[in-house]
Amino acid sequence: MSFRLRLGEIISSAVHEAPVINPKGNSSQWDVEAKTNSKCTQITLKDPFGQSTELGEDPEKALKWFLENYASEPFETARADLAIDFLSNYGRDLAAQVVKTGLLPKNGSIRLEIASKDSGMGTDPNCVEATLQRLHWEVLEDTKLWPSGYDFNSVSVIRSVLQNSEQDEIGAGSFQGKKFNILLVVSRPGKQKDVDYQLVSRSLVAIVDHVSKTRPAVKVSLTILRPPTWVAFQKELQDHSYDLVHFDMKGRIRKASTGHTSAGLEFCKPNHLDSLKMTKDFRTGSEIGKELAQGGVKTAILNACDSASFEASSPENNLAEVLLRYGTQHVLAMAYKVVEEAVEIFMNAFYQSLLINKASVEEASRIARLALINNRRRRAMSMYNVNLSDYIVPIFYTTFTIPNSHSKVENGKYGSSISSYLDKALSSIKNLSPFEQLISKALQSVDQALIGRDIDVLSLEFLLSTSRLVLLHGQGGCGKTEFLRYVCQWWKASGWINGSAYIDFAEDHLLSWGEYVEQMCIQLGLDFDEPSEAAIIDRLRSGKYLLVFDSADAFESPLYLENPDDAEEMARSLRALIDNVTNDGSMAIVASRLANTQVANVTSERQKFHLSGLSVLDSVALLQQLAFDEKTKPPETYHRRDNIDFLRRVAILLEGNPTAIQLIVPAFSRAGYNGEALFNNILYDKIEEPAEDMWSRSRFCTSLSIALALPSFINFDDTMIQATHFAPFWNIMPKDLNYYYWFFYLFASKYFQEASYANWISKEWQDIVNSCQMARNLRAYWPEIESKLIRVGILQHAAITRSDGQQVPCYHVNPVYTLLSRTAVNKGAWKEAKFAYIRQALLWTPSKPFADDSDRNEWTGVVWDGIEQHEDLLHNRHAQGMGWANQDGDPEEQVKRMGVTLFSLHYSASVDSWWTKPRQRRLLIPHIRQHLSYVHMIANERPASVPTKWDLFCIMDYSWALYQIEAEDTVQSGKAPIVKSALEVFDRWNANSPPGTVLPPPNEVTWFQLRFAEASIMDRSLQLREAKELFERNLADDPVTTNAGMLNIIRRWHLQNLQNWAACVVRLAVRDGKVAKKDFNAGMQAMSNLWKPKGLGPALSEIWTQYEQEIESLKTGDHLGFALDLEKEAVSKFGSFAKSIIGAPMMSVFADLKPENGTSVVKVVSQMLESNNTDSREMKALLGDMESGIHMMAGDTAAAGRAMNYSMQREAPSSTTSTGWENLAEVHMFQYGLAMMPPDKPDYKKGLAHLQEWWKLHQGISMWKQDQVWGLLKLTTCYHGLGRIAEAGREVIKCVEVGQGMGPKDCMDGNVEAAHRHIYNEVVKLRHFDIFLDPTVLFSRAPGIAGLSLKERVALCQIVKEAHEVKKKEEELKDLLEEMRKQFAPLGLGSLGLQEDDQRGLENERTTGESMADNSWFF
């Protein structure tokens, strides 16, 4: 039996004093009457947070951040822990105050009612009075927070608000009768930005269906408002009576022009410009409350964010209380913004309890909150997870009247029902998981929603609300049939339609009109001896029905039309029928692969609905669902970031086509569920032929099987064209296939002559190709072939956008066709097709080899169905061409014949292109590495290993490309040996060349670039002095070329050398004490403050616009003056080319990049920073990284973190535009550095979270041992800082084991001894490890080390002891050296006679340690 306690504000003005107000203007204490059935007392309650002003962070703000923002900032674990502590302490404090009433029992179930007067009664609408409702009472439902000695089975919190009306006290709103009417209002005017449309409705429909089947005598009626407009809502409440209205929609607080604020909800209204779009229609709580009152609605459910908020200053801002004020008796609302998964868990449990278990609304809300308490794990940003205490967000309100002086609060009234229900439900709820609701297995009548189609269901519903006839079109295999079958079932189950008839014209052949009429009659439940159109029309006019005519493209397809005249007659009959039935309440959907149809009078684009492929994330989810089950679990490597990235590339390549995804599942299994292997298989090769049932399972597959096998589909004897010939093309194909077929049949020509690329792009060659027999065949037969391929769904018209804005017509190739046609191609034809593709791809956009970007009109986008497609679909052809070119022919023969290899031509069109972004270039890395390895092998096999000019060009160019493309990392990344090998090849070539031999201008540019790369690698690995010397070496050399274009490029690289050299100079000066660190930090702080308000990009844009002339005239020497003054001797050795740059305006280096209209470079860059195109976004990302470094050096970690947001979003696990897992690892490492940067208070928990992500990304990948040591040391530091000594000890043991296995190649400068010393020095810093200096620790049971085995303790004792011995020897040596310096100083031997090289060796030992311990490479 439940014990009932009511806590109510004392509302008698005669005895009630004004509440105490804290400095923030909120009530902090109340006089309260505590009342049971037999006792009554008065206490003073205090706001637990009201007494927390001494805390560093406002507890209310911390709690709000935790509940609303933690899921989007999952690495702020320390801040989240603080909020959890706030909430736990809050609950303990509040529980202790309630216990002080002396009225509570020690155990059992408690019903705690919080009663207060309506905050809006008799008050100014903009003034809030004190109310107990402001406290977080729901926290008390966590029984673990009650004081010791109180062991409650459950605690239920209900909030009640006094109303003026004279009425009997209202019960808890249970569903006990035989009829219960629910209205569900689902509004998503934001579409993709909002939560799932069926988040609540799907489970509610299933629950109602379950009730109707298990308890036929009980009538639960569910109506989903369609369309979810305000007008429709008003009419629905006027026409029908409802017990409960659920608002599944967005809530917000709006400020009127008068300054008055009010809460409300966002309904939808039609967008008159786009029938598929909905706009927001905000309605206030007062408007909604009036409608509910007039409709007699007693209960309202609001899963809208902030619908029970007390944060703002006006009573109109609490939507729940506004509805209560207008007469709604029970309201369930949300106190904060609520995450999607919490809504799903809560509402599922709530409606199961309410409708199946006959609980009251109060009981159901309590059980649903308990589900949240026991399921705190929530999906967070970027596919991470967090634990939330969001059970305090849902709040249940009811109304009450002031009881007379003789009334008693009877525990028995609610006690037995609540107690019995809670006792029965507790055991089952504790086992409820976020993804396995209790009822899910019992509901078989309603199919689970198709993956990724939720928003499509909503959009189609809305379109049908404005147009009763809709043409649904989409590419073959996109899932139109499954989607339509689902919506027919869903709309019937959810009560929108009375029934449906589904006709599919895709059977073996078109049936007669009479047979289709018979099918419709049967499906509509018409029992007539002679089915007729009239009977169908009568039935459809009697209610709201849906007719679906799928596969309407069969009326256009050459594969299905046996008698075109019969088809035309049937189309006329269909048009007449559809016109008849859609004039009344019924609706019709015609589905086709084509965007037009004969079978319905679709007269407007506003009647068309395009069903696109699944999103990238939904596609991967579908692939995972198809590939794995209870027996087949994904391997451990499946969830690695690099694997997921490749699976997303697969999804993009397949355009999210569900049929295509089904086809690749066997290949996925054979690839060991490796994403890269799968991607390479389908992009470059053929999947195995699918099982026979696959051809029949999908109508589009059936159509393709006929087209690929039917000789009459394309008459090969006349045309020399087969349906399989286009198999090499993924996604896009050129309109002009002359060159493709020229090369396809080149082997068959007795005059076989491939010629050179220069020939191919010549006018004479084009004339030869256009006059050949195959070109004549294309001109004669292609229009008819094209029409057939389009009608079947293989091809579709598309357009490529060039960099000059021009449109290039092309075809879109269905991905299902590409997969299946490749399986049908024999080995010989496949070789010929690839041979032709490699050359056709080059000639699709012909240009001079290795031309500047200015000579190209490159591709920037591709469009079909009026939609801009993913950029990968445009650039995958480069990877395909380079991959196949590596397998094609003899590169040396190609060089002799063409002066260039096919691989180099494809390389030039991709890597050298400004339009190929880092994400696309990453795909090219294995191909470039393969070809570079081949050229190195050829060069080494030549006499004396002296390369030819072509060898040298390839090695230098490809090495520079890999340096640019490979992810940024320290010296071990593989970049260093690549650059080193290339420069060694140059040295061999140079040493064996005749005197006076010079590099061709492009090669000379690459030589300067590689030397810059060599210096930059040193710089990044913190070998600053060596880096500075290499930059000086570069600046001492003047170019030989006189080519103006090449000189301009070299000039810009010299400027980059100067800037990096200056940065080294400054950092060395700070490190060596030539510049005070405080002065350096002050400079960084000034820069940080300058960029902070707007960000680096906007600030630069503003400054450059305002001071355009001054910046244009600023000399490089003035810009780098500080460093130049510090190193005058080094500057004197610079070459004349570098000195000319120093003495000239810095912007003159970019003078050749000025637009033809004369706009200055400064203005061009400013405009780019203000725009939002692809190029500007890349620039903004780079600027964001730069800004982060500046803020970090200035010590402003918060600003540095914010500046990195773009990079984090681009690289996050949820991103589909990631540039590689290595870059995500680097972002995590930067965030680790920020967390650990404050020396007085490093955030070990946040640092550990980022460090673990960094480590996780590197697992399974070969790591440089120095990096392993570095990572393990940092993990040790974090665990140590958190007091987790056992875990810290285990990391130290791993670190020492890795260190003991290090050789010279495994550490910087080959100094193994210095690396070992560094490990031990770091161990000594960790003071908690000093306990291992005491041998008794081996047998200690201290909590911090209890988890360590004896073997681990022995190892730690040895490590810590040795670390202290190493430290002691270093200090002794340091003291000895200092004493020797003092002794030798009078003799002029202050440096002890050490040579410069010896001093540098000592300095490098120190730098080795710094490089492992310091994060300063981010500078």
Side-chain angles (χ1 to χ4, degrees):
M1 186 171 185
S2 181
F3 185 89
R4 181 181 180 192
L5 174 66
R6 173 185 281 178
L7 299 177
E9 296 177 58
I10 298 176
I11 57 179
S12 171
S13 59
V15 297
H16 181 61
E17 296 181 1
V20 177
I21 307 296
N22 69 17
K24 297 176 183 177
N26 298 322
S27 304
S28 62
Q29 70 178 45
W30 298 264
D31 292 332
V32 174
E33 180 184 70
K35 196 171 187 179
T36 69
N37 65 325
S38 59
K39 295 181 181 180
C40 181
T41 187
Q42 293 184 8
I43 61 171
T44 298
L45 278 177
K46 296 181 178 180
D47 181 356
F49 280 168
Q51 313 304 315
S52 304
T53 53
E54 74 280 358
L55 295 171
E57 184 170 1
D58 183 337
E60 284 289 0
K61 289 183 178 178
L63 181 60
K64 180 178 174 65
W65 172 87
F66 171 65
L67 294 171
E68 296 186 354
N69 301 109
Y70 181 34
S72 59
E73 301 176 48
F75 295 104
E76 294 291 341
T77 49
R79 191 176 178 187
D81 286 346
L82 178 64
I84 292 170
D85 288 342
F86 281 156
L87 186 60
S88 298
N89 293 334
Y90 184 101
R92 294 188 185 96
D93 187 327
L94 193 57
Q97 293 187 66
V98 174
V99 164
K100 287 181 181 178
T101 63
L103 301 177
L104 288 176
K106 296 288 186 177
N107 49 42
S109 295
I110 303 297
R111 181 182 189 271
L112 184 61
E113 180 181 349
I114 311 303
S116 67
K117 68 175 182 176
D118 176 10
S119 61
M121 290 174 58
T123 65
D124 184 287
N126 285 312
C127 175
V128 170
E129 293 186 9
T131 171
L132 277 178
Q133 307 294 1
R134 294 185 174 281
L135 299 183
H136 304 289
W137 290 103
E138 285 69 24
V139 71
L140 297 179
E141 293 194 351
D142 186 347
T143 56
K144 297 175 183 177
L145 299 179
W146 287 82
S148 176
Y150 289 84
D151 186 17
F152 297 130
N153 183 34
S154 68
V155 176
S156 177
V157 173
I158 177 175
R159 297 171 183 252
S160 55
V161 178
L162 169 68
Q163 297 298 307
N164 279 326
S165 59
E166 292 294 332
Q167 55 185 344
D168 294 333
E169 190 170 356
I170 298 165
S174 60
F175 165 38
Q176 302 294 344
K178 290 192 175 182
K179 186 158 185 179
F180 195 78
N181 297 327
I182 302 173
L183 175 64
L184 176 60
V185 186
V186 186
S187 176
R188 297 288 188 273
K191 292 188 72 175
Q192 276 82 354
K193 296 180 182 179
D194 279 323
V195 298
D196 281 353
Y197 159 60
Q198 294 177 298
L199 182 69
V200 173
S201 60
R202 189 182 303 122
S203 61
L204 184 51
V205 166
I207 291 167
V208 170
D209 181 72
H210 178 76
V211 171
S212 68
K213 290 183 175 180
T214 57
R215 291 189 292 168
V218 176
K219 302 297 181 184
V220 177
S221 168
L222 171 64
T223 300
I224 300 177
L225 185 68
R226 297 176 172 109
T229 63
W230 177 247
V231 172
F233 176 68
Q234 290 176 304
K235 188 175 187 308
E236 189 67 30
L237 291 186
Q238 290 168 9
D239 296 346
H240 302 91
S241 175
Y242 289 99
D243 300 285
L244 182 151
V245 175
H246 185 135
F247 296 96
D248 179 14
M249 54 209 305
K250 186 176 180 181
R252 64 185 175 96
I253 297 173
R254 186 180 68 174
K255 188 173 184 179
S257 57
T258 60
H260 173 67
T261 57
S262 57
L265 299 173
E266 290 182 352
F267 286 79
C268 290
K269 62 181 179 181
N271 183 322
H272 298 295
L273 298 178
D274 187 338
S275 57
L276 290 179
K277 289 185 179 179
M278 299 158 278
T279 56
K280 300 173 184 177
D281 185 12
F282 180 82
R283 296 292 165 169
T284 65
S286 297
E287 292 177 283
I288 298 165
K290 290 176 183 176
E291 294 297 329
L292 293 176
Q294 291 173 9
V297 177
K298 301 302 182 184
T299 303
I301 310 297
L302 302 150
N303 55 261
C305 300
D306 294 320
S307 49
S309 172
F310 283 101
E311 181 183 4
S313 60
S314 166
E316 294 293 317
N317 293 338
N318 187 314
L319 181 58
E321 290 195 351
V322 172
L323 299 186
L324 291 170
R325 194 175 307 138
Y326 280 93
T328 307
Q329 294 177 2
H330 312 293
V331 179
L332 179 62
M334 305 294 156
Y336 294 91
K337 290 181 175 64
V338 58
V339 299
E340 183 175 336
E341 190 176 357
V343 173
E344 188 175 11
I345 295 170
F346 182 90
M347 290 303 171
N348 189 281
F350 174 81
Y351 280 113
Q352 287 181 51
S353 303
L354 181 72
L355 300 178
I356 296 177
N357 297 324
K358 299 184 182 181
S360 67
V361 178
E362 174 193 336
E363 294 166 345
S365 63
R366 163 66 186 128
I367 293 300
R369 273 199 298 269
L370 191 59
L372 293 178
I373 290 176
N374 288 287
N375 298 271
R376 304 196 187 202
R377 190 173 180 82
R378 304 287 179 265
R379 295 184 291 270
M381 180 207 76
S382 305
M383 294 188 174
Y384 295 108
N385 291 285
V386 297
N387 288 329
L388 286 180
S389 301
D390 50 12
Y391 66 95
I392 71 166
V393 176
I395 294 178
F396 177 70
Y397 286 91
T398 189
T399 55
F400 78 103
T401 56
I402 302 175
N404 60 46
S405 58
H406 302 291
S407 68
K408 293 183 179 181
V409 181
E410 298 294 341
N411 277 323
K413 184 174 182 180
Y414 295 98
S416 60
S417 64
I418 296 175
S419 177
S420 61
Y421 181 71
L422 288 179
D423 291 342
K424 285 188 292 183
L426 277 173
S427 59
S428 60
I429 283 293
K430 286 179 180 177
N431 297 320
L432 186 67
S433 75
F435 307 107
E436 296 176 347
Q437 284 73 31
L438 295 175
I439 200 170
S440 58
K441 293 182 181 178
L443 301 176
Q444 303 297 332
S445 60
V446 179
D447 289 344
Q448 294 204 353
L450 302 178
I451 290 177
R453 292 302 187 193
D454 189 87
I455 199 64
D456 293 314
V457 176
L458 172 63
S459 299
L460 184 56
E461 280 182 11
F462 203 82
L463 182 57
L464 282 168
S465 298
T466 59
S467 173
R468 297 189 184 281
L469 169 62
V470 168
L471 170 62
L472 184 144
H473 62 98
Q475 67 172 238
C478 73
K480 297 182 293 296
T481 298
E482 289 298 317
F483 176 70
L484 289 171
R485 290 186 185 278
Y486 172 75
V487 295
C488 286
Q489 188 177 13
W490 166 246
W491 291 336
K492 173 74 163 58
S494 61
W496 195 36
I497 59 175
N498 302 111
S500 64
Y502 181 93
I503 301 298
D504 190 350
F505 298 118
E507 304 302 330
D508 293 338
H509 56 84
L510 289 175
L511 305 177
S512 69
W513 175 238
E515 289 172 305
Y516 288 128
V517 168
E518 184 176 352
Q519 286 186 15
M520 285 185 273
C521 287
I522 293 171
Q523 293 182 50
L524 292 171
L526 297 173
D527 187 15
F528 295 103
D529 294 334
E530 295 184 10
S532 66
E533 291 180 56
I536 294 172
I537 293 170
D538 287 343
R539 172 56 59 89
L540 296 181
R541 286 177 174 174
S542 68
K544 192 169 188 177
Y545 290 85
L546 174 67
L547 287 182
V548 175
F549 299 103
D550 196 3
S551 309
D553 47 273
F555 286 82
E556 318 282 344
S557 174
L559 300 177
Y560 291 91
L561 291 180
E562 295 180 357
N563 191 328
D565 293 335
D566 289 347
E568 174 57 31
E569 178 62 31
M570 189 184 300
R572 281 196 294 271
S573 299
L574 280 167
R575 289 196 296 270
L577 175 64
I578 291 171
D579 289 344
N580 249 314
V581 301
T582 54
N583 286 331
D584 295 308
S586 292
M587 304 172 291
I589 299 175
V590 176
S592 173
R593 296 173 197 155
L594 307 176
N596 50 68
T597 182
Q598 296 183 32
V599 305
N601 293 312
V602 179
T603 58
S604 169
E605 291 298 314
R606 296 172 64 85
Q607 293 176 277
K608 294 181 180 180
F609 182 92
H610 175 247
L611 189 69
S612 58
L614 300 177
S615 72
V616 176
L617 299 184
D618 288 332
S619 298
V620 175
L622 175 60
L623 177 60
Q624 182 172 330
Q625 185 182 85
L626 294 170
F628 305 115
D629 53 29
E630 292 183 0
K631 295 181 180 178
T632 308
K633 302 295 182 184
E636 197 170 313
T637 56
Y638 175 83
H639 296 289
R640 279 194 49 80
R641 175 54 196 273
D642 54 326
N643 196 59
I644 295 297
D645 274 348
F646 270 103
L647 291 180
R648 290 175 184 170
R649 288 184 186 270
V650 168
I652 293 165
L653 184 66
L654 299 181
E655 302 173 26
N657 188 300
T659 301
I661 294 170
Q662 286 181 315
L663 283 170
I664 66 167
V665 172
F668 190 31
S669 174
R670 286 191 296 273
Y673 305 109
N674 181 295
E676 184 174 9
L678 176 66
F679 179 80
N680 290 339
N681 180 198
I682 63 177
L683 180 64
Y684 305 108
D685 210 339
K686 305 187 290 184
I687 62 170
E688 290 188 14
E689 188 168 348
E692 289 185 10
D693 67 328
M694 190 63 209
W695 293 100
S696 58
R697 192 187 317 163
S698 161
R699 185 177 79 85
F700 186 56
C701 288
T702 303
S703 298
L704 288 178
S705 68
I706 297 172
L708 294 173
L710 194 65
S712 61
F713 179 64
I714 299 177
N715 188 339
F716 177 77
D717 292 338
D718 293 337
T719 66
M720 296 292 288
I721 296 172
Q722 286 184 342
T724 56
H725 283 176
F726 320 112
F729 294 97
W730 267 111
N731 311 113
I732 54 176
M733 186 175 85
K735 288 267 185 175
D736 183 356
L737 295 172
N738 281 340
Y739 270 115
Y740 176 73
Y741 273 108
W742 168 272
F743 288 112
F744 189 92
Y745 285 116
L746 191 61
F747 288 120
S749 172
K750 62 181 180 180
Y751 304 109
F752 175 87
Q753 184 180 2
E754 189 176 348
S756 69
Y757 181 81
N759 294 131
W760 301 344
I761 62 175
S762 68
K763 180 65 169 62
E764 294 77 12
W765 196 266
Q766 292 175 27
D767 291 340
I768 294 173
V769 171
N770 289 330
S771 62
C772 73
Q773 179 60 48
M774 196 62 217
R776 292 196 295 272
N777 286 355
L778 285 169
R779 286 193 291 271
Y781 300 112
W782 183 253
E784 181 184 353
I785 294 172
E786 177 196 69
S787 175
K788 287 183 177 182
L789 294 173
I790 289 174
R791 284 183 287 153
V792 170
I794 293 174
L795 296 184
Q796 179 183 7
H797 292 297
I800 293 165
T801 304
R802 300 194 315 186
S803 55
D804 62 358
Q806 295 295 312
Q807 296 281 307
V808 179
C810 68
Y811 296 114
H812 163 235
V813 184
N814 188 294
V816 179
Y817 161 80
T818 302
L819 288 172
L820 293 181
S821 63
R822 288 187 177 189
T823 67
V825 178
N826 63 46
K827 187 175 180 180
W830 181 234
K831 180 180 179 181
E832 292 167 355
K834 290 197 294 182
F835 178 89
Y837 178 92
I838 295 167
R839 290 145 181 85
Q840 165 69 59
L842 291 171
L843 296 170
W844 198 347
T845 51
S847 64
K848 297 178 182 178
F850 316 108
D852 293 336
D853 285 326
S854 59
D855 295 332
R856 297 171 172 165
N857 275 315
E858 300 198 52
W859 300 354
T860 60
V862 62
V863 176
W864 59 80
D865 289 320
I867 300 170
E868 183 80 28
Q869 302 298 322
H870 197 286
E871 59 185 8
D872 281 11
L873 303 186
L874 201 63
H875 293 280
N876 284 334
R877 76 188 196 284
H878 292 315
Q880 199 175 342
M882 290 173 68
W884 283 347
N886 262 334
Q887 307 166 11
D888 185 272
D890 179 357
E892 288 197 85
E893 182 276 328
Q894 291 170 6
V895 172
K896 291 176 182 176
R897 173 168 46 86
M898 302 195 297
V900 64
T901 64
L902 286 170
F903 178 89
S904 295
L905 289 169
H906 279 283
Y907 166 89
S908 175
S910 54
V911 178
D912 284 355
S913 168
W914 170 257
W915 303 100
T916 307
K917 300 297 184 284
R919 172 178 169 78
Q920 283 80 47
R921 288 178 177 172
R922 282 188 60 78
L923 270 190
L924 311 179
I925 290 174
H927 306 312
I928 300 173
R929 280 188 172 276
Q930 181 183 349
H931 203 70
L932 177 61
S933 176
Y934 169 82
V935 179
H936 268 297
M937 180 189 71
I938 293 298
N940 289 333
E941 291 176 355
R942 298 194 188 282
S945 297
V946 178
T948 64
K949 276 193 176 183
W950 177 253
D951 298 338
L952 181 64
F953 163 76
C954 290
I955 289 171
M956 292 176 64
D957 207 35
Y958 302 157
S959 298
W960 170 246
L962 287 174
Y963 171 80
Q964 290 181 294
I965 298 172
E966 291 273 24
E968 283 298 326
D969 215 327
T970 46
V971 68
Q972 84 291 354
S973 68
K975 290 187 175 188
I978 290 171
V979 172
K980 182 180 178 182
S981 296
L983 290 173
E984 286 175 351
V985 169
F986 167 78
D987 290 338
R988 289 206 307 269
W989 174 84
N990 194 42
N992 289 274
S993 297
T997 304
V998 296
L999 285 169
N1003 295 23
E1004 187 177 5
V1005 169
T1006 309
W1007 180 71
F1008 275 107
Q1009 290 170 328
L1010 287 168
R1011 281 156 56 96
F1012 169 80
E1014 183 183 27
S1016 295
I1017 290 169
M1018 284 290 182
D1019 185 2
R1020 186 167 172 77
S1021 61
L1022 286 184
Q1023 299 182 67
L1024 299 181
R1025 201 168 299 281
E1026 288 80 357
K1028 171 178 169 291
E1029 290 176 356
L1030 287 175
F1031 285 127
E1032 289 170 352
R1033 173 207 65 184
N1034 299 347
L1035 294 166
D1037 289 327
D1038 292 331
V1040 176
T1041 182
T1042 57
N1043 181 290
M1046 297 298 105
L1047 282 173
N1048 286 330
I1049 297 173
I1050 295 171
R1051 189 174 286 110
R1052 285 190 277 279
W1053 282 106
H1054 259 52
L1055 176 62
Q1056 190 71 56
N1057 272 284
L1058 277 167
Q1059 291 172 326
N1060 287 26
W1061 169 82
C1064 287
V1065 169
V1066 173
R1067 283 186 289 168
L1068 283 168
V1070 172
R1071 194 178 76 179
D1072 297 341
K1074 295 179 182 178
V1075 175
K1077 195 164 186 177
K1078 64 177 184 178
D1079 294 336
F1080 176 77
N1081 291 343
M1084 291 298 103
Q1085 186 65 59
M1087 291 179 68
S1088 174
N1089 292 337
L1090 181 63
W1091 310 136
K1092 197 185 305 181
K1094 297 182 178 180
L1096 182 56
L1100 279 177
S1101 177
E1102 185 177 307
I1103 292 170
W1104 286 17
T1105 301
Q1106 187 174 354
Y1107 301 102
E1108 179 182 345
Q1109 293 184 350
E1110 291 87 341
I1111 293 172
E1112 283 277 0
S1113 60
L1114 178 68
K1115 291 185 177 180
T1116 305
D1118 296 334
H1119 176 61
L1120 305 176
F1122 184 76
L1124 295 172
D1125 289 340
L1126 281 174
E1127 292 284 345
K1128 291 182 179 177
E1129 182 179 350
V1131 174
S1132 68
K1133 299 176 183 177
F1134 287 175
S1136 59
F1137 195 69
K1139 288 178 180 177
S1140 70
I1141 296 171
I1142 293 172
M1146 187 165 61
M1147 287 298 157
S1148 65
V1149 172
F1150 307 97
D1152 60 306
L1153 301 180
K1154 281 186 178 181
E1156 294 180 0
N1157 60 13
T1159 305
S1160 69
V1161 174
V1162 171
K1163 181 167 287 187
V1164 170
V1165 175
S1166 298
Q1167 292 169 349
M1168 186 176 290
L1169 289 171
E1170 293 170 0
S1171 69
N1172 195 37
N1173 58 36
T1174 303
D1175 303 320
S1176 67
R1177 289 196 294 271
E1178 291 294 326
M1179 179 181 287
K1180 287 173 183 175
L1182 292 172
L1183 290 174
D1185 295 346
M1186 289 172 56
E1187 184 183 350
S1188 297
I1190 292 169
H1191 291 316
M1192 188 173 183
M1193 288 187 285
D1196 192 337
T1197 56
R1202 286 193 300 271
M1204 282 293 289
N1205 280 343
Y1206 182 88
S1207 292
M1208 176 60 91
Q1209 291 169 10
R1210 182 185 63 190
E1211 305 300 342
S1214 60
S1215 169
T1216 59
T1217 56
S1218 163
T1219 58
W1221 68 268
E1222 300 94 335
N1223 292 327
L1224 176 60
E1226 187 168 352
V1227 171
H1228 279 299
M1229 185 49 63
F1230 185 89
Q1231 296 286 4
Y1232 162 81
L1234 293 179
M1236 301 297 290
M1237 191 172 177
D1240 55 332
K1241 196 177 180 182
D1243 189 340
Y1244 291 111
K1245 191 152 191 175
K1246 182 177 179 181
L1248 178 62
H1250 282 291
L1251 196 60
Q1252 286 172 330
E1253 290 300 322
W1254 177 86
W1255 192 264
K1256 190 190 302 179
L1257 287 163
H1258 282 83
Q1259 283 180 353
I1261 305 296
S1262 178
M1263 284 178 67
W1264 196 36
K1265 285 188 177 179
Q1266 179 167 300
D1267 269 4
Q1268 292 182 50
V1269 166
W1270 186 93
L1272 291 167
L1273 279 175
K1274 292 310 168 189
L1275 283 170
T1276 301
T1277 301
C1278 289
Y1279 284 128
H1280 180 274
L1282 293 169
R1284 295 159 65 174
I1285 307 305
E1287 290 158 295
R1290 293 189 181 102
E1291 298 304 328
V1292 162
I1293 293 171
K1294 293 178 195 173
C1295 181
V1296 172
E1297 288 174 350
V1298 173
Q1300 288 172 346
M1302 292 174 76
K1305 292 182 178 180
D1306 299 318
C1307 50
M1308 204 168 295
D1309 284 347
N1311 196 331
V1312 177
E1313 186 180 350
H1316 288 174
R1317 283 202 303 271
H1318 173 70
I1319 294 172
Y1320 288 124
N1321 282 330
E1322 290 299 302
V1323 171
V1324 170
K1325 293 177 185 177
L1326 306 176
R1327 306 311 302 175
H1328 291 321
F1329 280 168
D1330 289 352
I1331 61 172
F1332 293 103
L1333 293 171
D1334 182 358
T1336 62
V1337 76
L1338 295 176
F1339 311 102
S1340 172
R1341 296 183 179 179
I1345 61 172
L1348 290 171
S1349 67
L1350 179 61
K1351 181 179 179 181
E1352 289 170 330
R1353 297 184 191 203
V1354 170
L1356 285 169
C1357 287
Q1358 293 172 342
I1359 291 168
V1360 174
K1361 180 181 178 182
E1362 189 168 351
H1364 280 270
E1365 289 175 354
V1366 169
K1367 183 68 175 176
K1368 182 178 178 182
K1369 289 178 181 178
E1370 281 193 356
E1371 290 175 349
E1372 290 174 351
L1373 179 60
K1374 182 179 177 181
D1375 292 341
L1376 177 61
L1377 290 173
E1378 185 60 30
E1379 184 61 31
M1380 291 176 67
R1381 282 193 177 90
K1382 292 178 181 177
Q1383 296 293 330
F1384 284 95
L1387 304 176
L1389 299 173
S1391 297
L1392 307 179
L1394 295 174
Q1395 298 299 315
E1396 183 177 343
D1397 288 345
D1398 298 324
Q1399 292 184 47
R1400 181 165 300 171
L1402 293 173
E1403 181 185 82
N1404 281 345
E1405 287 186 13
R1406 180 182 68 173
T1407 305
T1408 300
E1410 288 177 350
S1411 68
M1412 298 171 69
D1414 195 7
N1415 290 307
S1416 57
W1417 67 62
F1418 295 110
F1419 293 3

